[in-house]
Amino acid sequence: QHRERFPESKLYIFLNAWDIRPELRSDIKNRLQKDNKVLFWLYAAGQFDSGRESLERAREVTGIALKAQPFFSKTGTTILNRRHPLSESFRDKGIVGGSNLEPSYFAIPEEASVLGEYSATGLPSFVVREFGTGEHAWKSVFLGEPLVTPDLVRALGQIAGAPVWNFQGDVVHVRAPFLSIHCAGAGPRT
């Protein structure tokens, strides 16, 4: 029922969305893939449909073709494009993530910008792809590492055009007419 009325947002984060049923896939395509929205897919995205493997359908919902890495492939992403706003959100310039995940997935970078690749295999693990123009424009971002940092969420919000209220890592709650901040430490805030 909530999927029939996705809350209006500029950024949608899909955390480990392994199994996306046909009706939800259709709703994502019809309601979210437009209006300059950003859809972020973390680790797994639409690989199954009602419990059956469905990698060919992952592209329908993410806009990015995904494929499983060879078995026993190590994760850990080397950032390639340091100048992209999403890449800048990872302060460590070396390897991001690096856990023992089985399986792990890589993106087939057709018309996508590759921001990072798995260090062990060289396969694309962090990509962004832009679609359409005008009201039909939207972006899809895939990260094969199960790693979400506040800086990454902030960068995703910025490329989506969402307001960013704080850059110091404080807890911020915004509901008009109030903005509440619980500061993580001492010092001035902007």
Side-chain angles (χ1 to χ4, degrees):
Q1 299 41 342
H2 67 282
R3 74 178 82 129
E4 292 173 8
R5 298 180 308 272
F6 282 107
E8 187 55 36
S9 183
K10 295 179 181 191
L11 169 64
Y12 295 86
I13 298 176
F14 296 88
L15 301 174
N16 202 18
W18 282 93
D19 194 336
I20 301 178
R21 301 210 182 322
E23 64 276 3
L24 181 55
R25 180 179 284 112
S26 176
D27 287 344
I28 290 169
K29 286 169 43 180
N30 294 329
R31 295 190 171 113
L32 302 185
Q33 293 180 352
K34 61 182 181 178
D35 298 332
N36 291 307
K37 296 178 186 310
V38 174
L39 282 61
F40 174 56
W41 306 93
L42 183 74
Y43 178 55
Q47 282 86 344
F48 293 89
D49 180 356
S50 301
R52 294 190 194 106
E53 189 171 76
S54 176
L55 278 174
E56 68 278 357
R57 292 207 177 110
R59 181 188 293 159
E60 287 179 32
V61 73
T62 65
I64 299 169
L66 302 175
K67 190 170 182 184
Q69 282 204 95
F71 250 42
F72 299 114
S73 295
K74 294 190 181 226
T75 58
T77 293
T78 300
I79 300 297
L80 301 176
N81 182 348
R82 297 292 317 160
R83 294 182 182 214
H84 193 280
L86 294 176
S87 299
E88 290 176 357
S89 67
F90 294 106
R91 295 176 185 165
D92 180 15
K93 296 184 179 180
I95 296 174
V96 174
S99 59
N100 293 326
L101 294 173
E102 196 62 51
S104 58
Y105 296 90
F106 70 93
I108 298 171
E110 52 196 11
E111 300 179 38
S113 297
V114 178
L115 305 181
E117 65 185 20
Y118 289 114
S119 304
T121 61
L123 296 169
S125 60
F126 189 25
V127 299
V128 61
R129 184 170 179 195
E130 298 184 25
F131 296 88
T133 57
E135 67 182 38
H136 300 291
W138 64 285
K139 290 182 183 93
S140 186
V141 179
F142 169 77
L143 176 61
E145 303 283 349
L147 177 72
V148 179
T149 64
D151 289 337
L152 178 58
V153 173
R154 188 178 302 114
L156 287 163
Q158 285 180 292
I159 68 166
V164 175
W165 301 99
N166 182 272
F167 289 89
Q168 285 81 24
D170 300 323
V171 176
V172 178
H173 180 78
V174 180
R175 180 164 295 174
F178 299 104
L179 180 142
S180 304
I181 299 175
H182 179 81
C183 296
R189 296 294 188 264
T190 301

